[in-house]
Amino acid sequence: MDLRIFTEPQQGATYDTLLSVAKATEDLGFDAFFRSDHYLRMGNVDGLPGPTDAWITLAGLARETRRIRLGTLMTAGTFRLPGVLAIQVAQVDQMSGGRVELGLGAGWFEEEHRAYGIPFPKEKFARLEEQLAIITGLWATEVGKTFDFHGTYYDLTDSPALPKPAQKKVPVLIGGHGATRTPRLAAQYADEFNIPFASVEDSARQFGRVRAAAEEAGRGADALTYSNALVVCVGRDDREVARRAAAIGREVDELKANGLAGSPAEVVDKIGRYAEIGSRRIYLQILDLHDLDHLELISAQVQAQLP
């Protein structure tokens, strides 16, 4: 089971704060540092000092880390044109020496689009499908050849399809709860399927749909990695768990029901339940980015106990 650190910088974080978390992620033996792609805070927080851009952040971290994987859960398809995003991701992959992964979603948070003047189209999922075809097609085009795509929403003619990523294939992550279109899209384009903030039972059902879609597409169910994203709140005792829950404005019982919360032993046990249904990777949503002791505890007493 891989443990990855997943951050939500729109809730309030500077680049330097994210750098501190990324360096701790690397030093403490976690597999990867991922971040969300949002421009507006959510819930009852001030969001200060304001948002940071996902791919600018990852470009900086690419030069200041050496081992960990870097990526997004999920880049919003509404924020960037697919050709531009293909260039950005390929460049950051080069800057990192081939450590980038692209999580791509349709985009959903209408308020942040209004706040920053970003168009919020109705046909988001159909656009996402074309975006995936374009990005993967650009990367797969041989050097010296050109790429064309003529879709409903995007039209590319004689693209040189450059630059290329450092990796032969940048892993693509697709996720969500949709019962029909999401599994089909994952089966066609994804290297990894991620389900965010879902119970063991709901995860098992969705993994089953994706596995069936992959078999139908002729890939085989095991061609994809299956993963979860879950909020985490670990403490050495009940008092420490309660303190960390209060710091992120959550209740302990709710966190235990909907995330990974409690003592290290409790969290290891619950991760084991996800492993039993085929999850091979957990993205630990860290909401208090200043509590690096939390990461140290998870590394020493949770990660160390996992197979």
Side-chain angles (χ1 to χ4, degrees):
M1 175 68 73
D2 294 332
L3 294 186
R4 295 182 159 189
I5 300 303
F6 169 42
T7 62
E8 302 273 7
Q10 76 277 357
Q11 301 301 87
T14 64
Y15 172 76
D16 285 340
T17 297
L18 296 173
L19 175 60
S20 295
V21 176
K23 286 187 171 181
T25 298
E26 186 155 83
D27 293 343
L28 294 169
F30 294 105
D31 183 59
F33 174 95
F34 271 58
R35 59 157 292 164
S36 61
D37 188 23
H38 287 294
Y39 292 137
L40 193 67
R41 70 189 188 281
M42 301 173 195
N44 189 27
V45 298
D46 58 27
L48 294 175
T52 51
D53 182 84
W55 285 100
I56 290 177
T57 297
L58 294 175
L61 297 179
R63 306 303 290 177
E64 300 195 69
T65 57
R66 292 292 176 265
R67 179 188 58 80
I68 52 173
R69 308 288 294 175
L70 301 166
T72 50
L73 283 183
M74 300 285 188
T75 292
T78 47
F79 287 176
R80 299 167 180 86
L81 296 170
V84 175
L85 182 58
I87 292 169
Q88 291 172 322
V89 177
Q91 182 178 3
V92 178
D93 195 51
Q94 292 175 2
M95 293 168 70
S96 72
R99 293 183 285 123
V100 159
E101 304 185 10
L102 172 63
L104 185 61
W108 61 271
F109 190 18
E110 186 172 3
E111 289 85 348
E112 69 187 338
H113 293 74
R114 289 200 302 265
Y116 286 95
I118 303 168
F120 190 69
K122 291 182 179 179
E123 326 82 357
K124 292 182 292 297
F125 199 90
R127 286 176 181 269
L128 173 62
E129 189 161 4
E130 290 194 9
Q131 290 164 350
L132 285 161
I134 291 166
I135 293 167
T136 57
L138 286 168
W139 290 340
T141 299
E142 294 180 18
V143 175
K145 295 187 177 180
T146 58
F147 175 80
D148 291 80
F149 181 90
H150 305 293
T152 302
Y153 307 103
Y154 304 101
D155 198 285
L156 287 74
T157 301
D158 291 335
S159 172
L162 297 171
K164 299 302 184 192
Q167 299 174 86
K168 184 174 181 180
K169 187 180 190 309
V170 172
V172 173
L173 289 74
I174 294 174
H177 297 260
T180 305
R181 293 188 299 175
T182 297
R184 176 183 59 78
L185 207 59
Q188 185 172 359
Y189 291 106
D191 299 285
E192 179 177 335
F193 179 79
N194 177 269
I195 184 165
F197 315 118
S199 67
V200 173
E201 294 75 19
D202 288 344
S203 298
R205 278 190 289 272
Q206 187 68 336
F207 288 167
R209 295 183 186 114
V210 175
R211 294 177 72 88
E215 293 281 5
E216 186 175 344
R219 289 186 64 189
D222 293 332
L224 285 79
T225 297
Y226 299 87
S227 65
N228 290 84
L230 295 161
V231 64
V232 66
C233 180
V234 186
R236 295 172 181 84
D237 52 36
D238 291 345
R239 180 180 299 179
E240 191 167 77
V241 174
R243 174 176 63 78
R244 288 200 163 108
I248 59 174
R250 304 279 285 269
E251 298 292 332
V252 171
D253 288 346
E254 178 268 323
L255 287 169
K256 287 188 175 184
N258 299 312
L260 300 172
S263 68
E266 288 178 286
V267 171
V268 168
D269 180 69
K270 191 163 186 182
I271 289 174
R273 293 170 56 197
Y274 282 95
E276 288 173 358
I277 62 158
S279 185
R280 294 294 174 261
R281 188 170 286 157
I282 303 286
Y283 293 81
L284 303 173
Q285 186 194 43
I286 302 292
L287 295 176
D288 184 352
L289 298 180
H290 299 285
D291 186 2
L292 298 183
D293 289 343
H294 193 197
L295 297 186
E296 292 180 8
L297 176 63
I298 296 168
S299 173
Q301 298 193 32
V302 175
Q303 182 170 241
Q305 296 186 56
L306 297 175

